[in-house]
Structures are given as C-alpha cells and as structure tokens.
Amino acid sequence: MSAMRILTKKREIDAFLGILRKRGAGVSPEVLKKTGEILASVRRGGDQAVKRYTRRFDGHTRLRLTPAIIQRYAEKADKGVVSALKLAARRIKRFHQRQKEASWSVSEEGIRLGQVIRPIRRVGVYVPGGAAAYPS
C-alpha cells in the first residue's frame, strides 16, 4: 500500500488527472450502449425489469431474501467464512458510525436554514454475480 501524497505542483496534478481519465477509457462503446439500454429498461419497467435481468444474469428472480432463507444459507456456510464476515460487518459498522451526520438549523432575520438527516428505510441494490464477491 502506498503512502498518501499531497500534490501541489500543476504538472503533478495534471499528470495524476491524466491517469484518472485513462481509467475510464477502456469501456467500449458497446458496453456503454448496452448499459444505457438496461438502465432505461429498469426506469420504465421497475422491479419487473430488475427481475428479468436478475434471472438472465444470475439465474434467479429474488429481489429480497427472507430471514429464513438467509439462515439456511448461513447454516451451510463455512464457519471460518461466517466468522470473517461477522468481523467485517463489525468493522464496517464501526467505520460508518463515525460518518453519521446530525441535523442542524440556523435562524437569521426570520429565515430558517438547515439540513435534515433522515435514515432511508429500505434501499434496493443490484450486485452482479460473477467472479468477484462483495460481502460488505
């Protein structure tokens, strides 16, 4: 792992930005087109479209696992893997606890400004199958 560097010279910054720009250059126009089609389909078709793509790419249609299904999979899982996942979950939670923001407001001359922080009750996330695993 490399140490953090603070870039202050224009040529260093420009060189670094050039590296970042090249990272996205490898995405083919076909991939961008297909991705756009999938996103448009999901915008139009909602959960039904997501189910179609989940069936097509991952071989199933579940958008949400029940606690009973999760428990069945957990019982089949390697105990070392379960232990590692629990450790990762504790670390992730501890990390993000420090990121919590609080609501705030200020009033001045009859005008109230502020920010309200509310948790999101439920979020849908599609994590594609494949060679990589992203348990967090």
Side-chain angles (χ1 to χ4, degrees):
M1 187 165 152
S2 61
M4 182 175 83
R5 293 184 319 159
I6 298 175
L7 305 177
T8 57
K9 295 184 173 105
K10 182 175 178 353
R11 77 175 154 71
E12 290 176 331
I13 294 168
D14 289 343
F16 182 71
L17 290 175
I19 292 168
L20 292 179
R21 283 187 197 102
K22 287 180 185 175
R23 284 183 180 175
V27 179
S28 72
E30 296 83 29
V31 169
L32 291 174
K33 180 178 183 232
K34 193 62 181 172
T35 302
E37 291 169 3
I38 291 170
L39 290 172
S41 174
V42 169
R43 280 189 200 101
R44 284 190 311 273
D47 284 352
Q48 293 307 313
V50 172
K51 284 181 182 180
R52 280 194 309 276
Y53 287 112
T54 301
R55 184 182 313 110
R56 179 174 162 194
F57 296 132
D58 298 322
H60 62 84
T61 58
R62 292 188 189 275
L63 296 184
R64 186 179 352 158
L65 298 178
T66 65
I69 292 171
I70 293 170
Q71 184 61 39
R72 278 203 313 264
Y73 282 114
E75 289 168 2
K76 294 178 184 179
D78 177 273
K79 301 305 177 212
V81 171
V82 172
S83 178
L85 289 172
K86 286 180 179 180
L87 174 62
R90 284 193 305 273
R91 288 177 173 169
I92 291 164
K93 183 176 182 178
R94 189 171 57 229
F95 176 87
H96 289 292
Q97 287 290 336
R98 294 175 178 261
Q99 291 182 313
K100 279 187 177 179
E101 295 185 36
S103 299
W104 59 269
S105 67
V106 294
S107 294
E108 185 178 309
E109 299 177 18
I111 299 171
R112 186 170 170 208
L113 303 171
Q115 174 175 286
V116 176
I117 307 293
R118 286 191 203 117
I120 298 172
R121 186 168 158 220
R122 185 182 310 162
V123 176
V125 178
Y126 176 72
V127 179
Y134 306 103
S136 62

